[in-house]
Amino acid sequence: MNLLPSLVLALSPPAWLDDAGADHLSVMPAVHNWAIQRLPAFARDMHGTGVGHAMAYEAMARGEVGSLETATFNRIDRVLHNPPRNPVDEASISPTFIRQYGALEKVFDWAHLLHFQTIDVLIHPGWSQARRDQEIEKLWRNYQSQPYALTGLPMNMEFLSSSPYDGAFRRAYPKVNGLFWGYHWLQTAAYDMLYEIEPRDQIPQYVVLGDQYRRIELYRTNRDFMPMTAEMSPRFSKRFPMIANAFDNLHMLHDNVNDILAQDWEKPRKQAEVKAAITRVLASTHADEEPGEGEGLHDHEHVPSVPGMGKMKGSDGDIMFMSGMGWMDMSRCAHCSIPLPEETATVSANGWTMVVRCLACARDMAAETPGQAIIRTRIQGSSRTLVMISDEEGNWQSNIQGVVFLEQTGEHPECADWSRAFATSEGFDAFVRENQISGASPLSLQSWSERNLGRPPTYRKIDRPNPYGVKD
Amino acid sequence: MPAVGWAQSDHTNIESGHPLGFDDAYSIGYGERSFGFSRSLGPENDFHVGATYGFAKNQDFTIGYDTKGQELEVSYFRGLRREIEDQPGLAYRVSAHVPRNGSAIVTIRGIGTKHLGQYEKLHFNVDLLLASDVGIGVTLGYSSPIGLPRHFDTQFLAEVSGTVPKDQRSTARFGVGLRHQVNPVTVADIGIQVSAEETRLKFGMSVAF
Amino acid sequence: MKKLVLLILIFGVMGVVSAHEADCPYCAEKIVQNTDKQDNEVVVKVGNKRIEYRCLYCVIKDQRRYKGDLVVYAPSEKVGSPVVIKRTGGKWVGPEKMVVLNVFKKHTECAALSRAFSTREALDAYVKRNNVQNAKALSLKEFIELVEKPVQK
């Protein structure tokens, strides 16, 4: 597919792109603002991503691309190892870039602000989930009220990454591109760490995710594609698909801009291409359009079971290629390949997050993956989401003391019935009695951890070549 | 130049009085509300409080009170353009100082901000005082981040200013100061201003809410 | 109940095999899947985890990430009969007659050229069948010492 140049010509950039005003916007006043600081390690890493973006852009704007993989990378890396306590003013770190691409900074900053405020809502203590959801909806409306807003519609990622210059940046500057995708990994993985999870259960998860981010994700240079929000945070994306889409569109804009700035073009051409890239993903460009309609740039088709993710390269219905995992059917359990029920669990390990049908699937999938893992699921008898964290050797800890498990092993098409967790043994007893399950006894966390059902006979591997052609 | 949405009260967004006498060419963010105070210690001590509201893009409104002259102050700030390529950012501020006993002084300030090198900035302020003693004031301000590329929370400021009140001798003043981001919503500032008549120590704080 | 017993039996046998094809945690190359004629997946059992590696060399190189005891199911010359070696209290032990081949130059070849065999004869047969150059039969102790030398790949 190579349709971008002709379609770009058909788009007329909005007039505000040439506005001379600084047009600074503030966060929407709210009690939850900067709640992120309550998770200091996470906050610092998030603030560090701003420094990383800004330093790379400043180097590119100043024509210092030759130093990107060396001096600039080292400068950024130093900051990422000792990130700032407070949010940073990206413009003060990248003044040359801002003077050249001021409109782009308006788009980036407005979306970054949405990032921060939605995170704040999810961390702010004392609110019910319904209240948080309402507040996030309000933030979204506030975000959409400005012309700099990106569309919340799913965008065809294959289309957006089909320009002749696509991939130039990651080929020429793999280490710095790895940092960018590492930041985007953190920004997208954070949502399921926070969503529907009480603030007291958020910090232990960031011990795992922060370590993964700082040790592995920042330095990965073998990703096939940027991390997608619905891949990293499926639970949040299911509830707020428009926000997941907007973040993916933002991150794709970052990629497009990087590819443009990596070109050996005169500045006016780069500036024109950047404006075209902005225009492609603005909400105003796609006003009154609907998911699943249109073609090309206006093709808002999404993976059917994932409305918060635009169509990916090579995707075919619910089947799509996930970097690091291969081909997956997003409508089915990642472990046993049986269609997903309404209530699911997720398992996060080794940088990915997968949706599974039951806790046995989650545990066994984690058991075959190196490193620590996190399982999240709603459970009966508690308004608190169950969050379990395992060490390197698969020993699990739970945020709910006294959690017990039913694992009355049967066939996988029914695994969501025979593998369950309960906040209390009374809840277990009531469920067993109500459903007339004979011979079931509650498993403690330790007994449950030691079990392993191995490869589900129902698992079906989807064997297709990597559509990105990076690895075989 | 403050970025959208990062620190609400931003140490890089320079406001007159915090701690020196010059402005940069940028308003506070649209929708931002901030409260500030500054204490000035010299031959006569002074305390100033003020609240600013970014009521529109590139525009803010401030209302304050100054104990020294028992003055009520109101000001309107308008950013005209940001720095683009080699062109400076431009803005103006119209202020009215209304003393409890006496007539109001209106000041119209023209403001230009331009980078000097990669990070340092010059800020050129020209004041036209409209009062019984109409005069002109000129301030050349300088700002530069301290600690880059490892630290991102402190600005160094300096100024040289001269005022030419009508029918009086001109006065010159020199000042240096710091603005430091304490947390996402708070900036602390400290500075010293020296003129032939007095030396003034200044410190203050701005908090967004 | 019969079905349950049957399932447990099946799972017991297959318990060391991963459901998902992943990259080797150490060398990041694809793990070569078992075939009807030859097993290839090296499985490390540690605590409640069963982690697949591409070859025995990768396991030894990556062993320090695990604090507990390890059981390694290394594919042998015979399908379904892995050579089982254990690290208990930090000490490695394997079957008395086992030998190891370890002659790969790049990790793209490690699955074929870093392998365990139940006997010296089995290694010789494999070397001959696959025309392996510079082959040498190493004891488990020699192999581990070789791999842990810092100059080794």
Side-chain angles (χ1 to χ4, degrees):
Chain A
M1 190 188 281
N2 190 2
L3 300 172
L4 270 182
S6 58
L7 277 164
V8 165
L9 295 175
L11 284 175
S12 53
W16 70 262
L17 285 175
D18 294 317
D19 281 354
D23 301 329
H24 299 141
L25 301 172
S26 181
V27 293
M28 192 174 82
V31 67
H32 52 71
N33 285 340
W34 306 111
I36 189 172
Q37 301 292 98
R38 301 172 73 94
L39 271 63
F42 174 52
R44 292 185 68 168
D45 284 337
M46 285 291 287
H47 301 328
T49 68
V51 177
H53 278 118
M55 283 183 170
Y57 283 135
E58 179 70 359
M60 287 192 269
R62 289 173 63 81
E64 296 167 355
V65 289
S67 75
L68 268 180
E69 292 284 278
T70 50
T72 303
F73 176 88
N74 293 336
R75 203 159 50 235
I76 296 170
D77 198 38
R78 241 187 346 247
V79 175
L80 297 175
H81 279 92
N82 189 21
R85 277 187 305 120
N86 288 317
V88 293
D89 171 9
E90 287 190 38
S92 71
I93 301 169
S94 55
T96 316
F97 175 72
I98 301 300
R99 292 200 299 275
Q100 295 176 6
Y101 301 96
L104 178 65
E105 189 66 3
K106 292 176 190 178
V107 174
F108 280 163
D109 278 350
W110 188 229
H112 290 162
L113 191 148
L114 179 69
H115 251 317
F116 271 85
Q117 284 207 283
T118 47
I119 285 169
D120 289 338
V121 169
L122 298 175
I123 294 175
H124 180 68
W127 279 4
S128 67
Q129 191 54 46
R131 177 79 196 277
R132 292 180 206 280
D133 285 7
Q134 275 174 8
E135 192 68 11
I136 290 174
E137 297 277 5
K138 192 169 147 193
L139 287 172
W140 175 251
R141 288 192 297 275
N142 180 59
Y143 175 72
Q144 288 291 309
S145 70
Q146 290 295 331
Y148 325 121
L150 299 170
T151 180
L153 289 166
M155 295 288 290
N156 184 324
M157 290 293 145
E158 181 175 11
F159 180 86
L160 289 181
S161 57
S162 64
S163 68
Y165 51 77
D166 182 72
F169 186 78
R170 64 176 174 269
R171 283 191 295 274
Y173 312 107
K175 285 165 63 183
V176 175
N177 185 69
L179 292 179
F180 269 87
W181 284 359
Y183 313 144
H184 298 167
W185 179 90
L186 177 67
Q187 289 161 349
T188 54
Y191 283 93
D192 267 14
M193 172 183 86
L194 307 172
Y195 182 62
E196 288 188 328
I197 288 171
E198 289 187 16
R200 61 182 155 163
D201 298 331
Q202 294 168 344
I203 290 178
Q205 292 182 75
Y206 197 67
V207 174
V208 179
L209 293 178
D211 178 64
Q212 177 77 19
Y213 167 69
R214 289 185 291 268
R215 213 164 38 80
I216 310 282
E217 301 303 330
L218 281 170
Y219 306 108
R220 276 194 204 272
T221 54
N222 62 347
R223 287 183 207 276
D224 301 293
F225 199 71
M226 66 180 194
M228 300 291 288
T229 310
E231 281 181 333
M232 305 314 307
S233 286
R235 294 162 53 251
F236 176 82
S237 302
K238 187 177 177 185
R239 174 62 184 82
F240 297 106
M242 67 291 195
I243 296 180
N245 287 322
F247 290 156
D248 290 342
N249 298 336
L250 166 72
H251 295 160
M252 176 49 76
L253 178 59
H254 270 295
D255 280 8
N256 288 165
V257 167
N258 291 348
D259 288 337
I260 292 165
L261 296 182
Q263 298 300 312
D264 187 20
W265 295 337
E266 294 296 315
K267 194 164 63 181
R269 176 157 181 211
K270 289 184 182 179
Q271 289 173 324
E273 292 281 357
V274 165
K275 283 182 184 173
I278 294 171
T279 307
R280 285 198 289 272
V281 288
L282 284 176
S284 55
T285 304
H286 303 280
D288 303 322
E289 294 173 6
E290 294 289 332
E293 293 181 354
E295 289 181 3
L297 179 67
H298 303 281
D299 166 9
H300 301 302
E301 191 180 337
H302 55 79
V303 176
S305 57
V306 189
M309 182 157 56
K311 194 168 185 292
M312 303 293 286
K313 189 172 187 179
S315 68
D316 172 12
D318 275 315
I319 296 172
M320 59 166 273
F321 185 85
M322 295 177 79
S323 190
M325 293 301 289
W327 289 93
M328 308 291 290
D329 186 332
M330 306 303 283
S331 68
R332 290 170 179 267
C333 173
H335 188 65
C336 72
S337 303
I338 303 294
L340 290 166
E342 187 56 31
E343 286 293 326
T344 57
T346 62
V347 54
S348 302
N350 204 24
W352 46 253
T353 294
M354 290 287 144
V355 185
V356 291
R357 281 172 59 81
C358 71
L359 288 166
C361 286
R363 177 199 60 208
D364 293 352
M365 194 158 183
E368 61 186 51
T369 308
Q372 292 187 270
I374 302 171
I375 292 174
R376 307 177 186 107
T377 189
R378 289 192 197 136
I379 60 168
Q380 289 181 332
S382 175
S383 57
R384 197 171 168 192
T385 298
L386 176 67
V387 178
M388 295 192 293
I389 299 175
S390 90
D391 64 13
E392 284 264 349
E393 298 182 1
N395 300 303
W396 291 93
Q397 290 195 321
S398 166
N399 64 330
I400 298 177
Q401 300 307 310
V403 63
V404 292
F405 298 85
L406 169 71
E407 193 164 301
Q408 196 78 340
T409 314
E411 290 184 311
H412 268 278
E414 287 80 39
C415 66
D417 295 329
W418 54 251
S419 171
R420 286 170 174 262
F422 301 86
T424 61
S425 51
E426 290 77 19
F428 174 93
D429 292 341
F431 181 83
V432 166
R433 205 166 42 244
E434 195 178 314
N435 293 280
Q436 298 176 336
I437 301 170
S438 59
S441 55
L443 293 172
S444 67
L445 179 62
Q446 189 179 340
S447 308
W448 177 85
S449 301
E450 288 165 359
R451 293 171 70 102
N452 190 315
L453 304 181
R455 185 196 300 247
T458 49
Y459 174 67
R460 296 290 176 269
K461 177 180 167 10
I462 303 169
D463 206 359
R464 299 183 186 181
N466 182 337
Y468 299 98
V470 179
K471 291 182 285 187
D472 56 20
Chain B
M1 186 196 297
V4 184
W6 295 101
Q8 269 180 278
S9 189
D10 194 323
H11 71 285
T12 65
N13 186 12
I14 300 163
E15 316 149 53
S16 62
H18 287 282
L20 304 183
F22 68 91
D23 283 295
D24 70 7
Y26 301 99
S27 69
I28 67 170
Y30 174 34
E32 180 176 337
R33 299 170 299 186
S34 78
F35 169 82
F37 74 86
S38 65
R39 186 92 168 97
S40 174
L41 303 176
E44 286 182 85
N45 294 342
D46 184 17
F47 185 73
H48 179 272
V49 292
T52 303
Y53 177 48
F55 65 94
K57 282 179 190 168
N58 309 309
Q59 299 179 69
D60 62 46
F61 178 80
T62 300
I63 184 161
Y65 183 75
D66 193 302
T67 57
K68 189 171 124 191
Q70 295 188 315
E71 289 178 345
L72 181 68
E73 299 174 5
V74 289
S75 81
Y76 165 73
F77 184 99
R78 173 74 195 243
L80 299 173
R81 55 173 287 144
R82 61 193 154 89
E83 268 192 276
I84 299 174
E85 303 287 359
D86 293 329
Q87 302 300 308
L90 298 172
Y92 67 85
R93 180 189 289 281
V94 180
S95 313
H97 294 239
V98 187
R100 191 172 175 188
N101 302 309
S103 54
I105 302 169
V106 174
T107 306
I108 300 173
R109 166 174 281 191
I111 304 160
T113 288
K114 190 175 188 316
H115 272 81
L116 179 77
Q118 189 174 3
Y119 294 114
E120 297 99 331
K121 282 185 269 189
L122 283 182
H123 311 273
F124 191 61
N125 290 189
V126 180
D127 294 339
L128 177 63
L129 279 67
L130 305 174
S132 55
D133 56 344
V134 173
I136 292 176
V138 176
T139 303
L140 185 62
Y142 167 85
S143 65
S144 177
I146 293 177
L148 285 181
R150 292 180 187 230
H151 303 284
F152 312 93
D153 52 11
T154 307
Q155 287 276 318
F156 169 76
L157 311 179
E159 69 176 0
V160 179
S161 66
T163 311
V164 189
K166 191 182 176 187
D167 301 329
Q168 290 182 32
R169 274 191 319 128
S170 62
T171 57
R173 191 176 66 193
F174 172 75
V176 291
L178 294 173
R179 283 172 62 82
H180 179 72
Q181 193 80 43
V182 178
N183 63 37
V185 295
T186 308
V187 175
D189 59 79
I190 185 165
I192 186 165
Q193 291 176 314
V194 180
S195 68
E197 288 77 29
E198 62 177 18
T199 297
R200 223 163 239 291
L201 177 66
K202 301 195 68 175
F203 55 92
M205 194 166 275
S206 316
V207 182
F209 58 94
Chain C
M1 194 61 187
K2 266 185 186 171
K3 191 161 71 178
L4 181 62
V5 172
L6 182 65
L7 278 167
I8 289 170
L9 281 174
I10 290 169
F11 291 143
V13 173
M14 300 182 72
V16 295
V17 181
S18 293
H20 307 283
E21 293 173 21
D23 297 338
C24 173
Y26 179 71
C27 72
E29 294 286 337
K30 276 257 175 284
I31 288 166
V32 181
Q33 299 298 296
N34 294 343
T35 67
D36 292 343
K37 293 181 180 165
Q38 180 172 291
D39 284 348
N40 293 301
E41 300 162 32
V42 184
V43 179
V44 175
K45 184 174 182 304
V46 50
N48 300 317
K49 291 222 179 202
R50 291 145 174 80
I51 311 295
E52 284 192 1
Y53 284 79
R54 196 171 142 87
C55 71
L56 204 48
Y57 174 96
C58 290
V59 171
I60 303 301
K61 274 291 188 190
D62 207 33
Q63 63 161 312
R64 293 196 197 289
R65 72 188 293 167
Y66 305 114
K67 292 181 178 66
D69 294 341
L70 306 180
V71 181
V72 180
Y73 300 85
S76 72
E77 69 282 1
K78 192 175 172 191
V79 172
S81 297
V83 173
V84 181
I85 61 175
K86 295 180 180 177
R87 187 188 76 181
T88 310
K91 193 176 172 205
W92 284 98
V93 180
E96 197 181 337
K97 290 184 177 174
M98 74 165 285
V99 288
V100 183
L101 173 72
N102 188 62
V103 290
F104 71 95
K105 295 276 190 280
K106 291 180 176 175
H107 271 283
T108 49
E109 314 172 313
C110 71
L113 298 178
S114 179
R115 297 182 66 94
F117 298 88
S118 57
T119 61
R120 170 69 191 255
E121 292 72 30
L123 180 145
D124 290 341
Y126 181 85
V127 165
K128 191 175 174 190
R129 191 167 62 249
N130 294 286
N131 195 24
V132 178
Q133 302 297 307
N134 305 316
K136 188 179 171 192
L138 301 169
S139 69
L140 180 62
K141 185 167 178 283
E142 288 171 330
F143 169 67
I144 290 170
E145 283 173 0
L146 183 72
V147 174
E148 297 221 299
K149 277 184 188 168
V151 290
Q152 269 291 309
K153 295 180 285 284

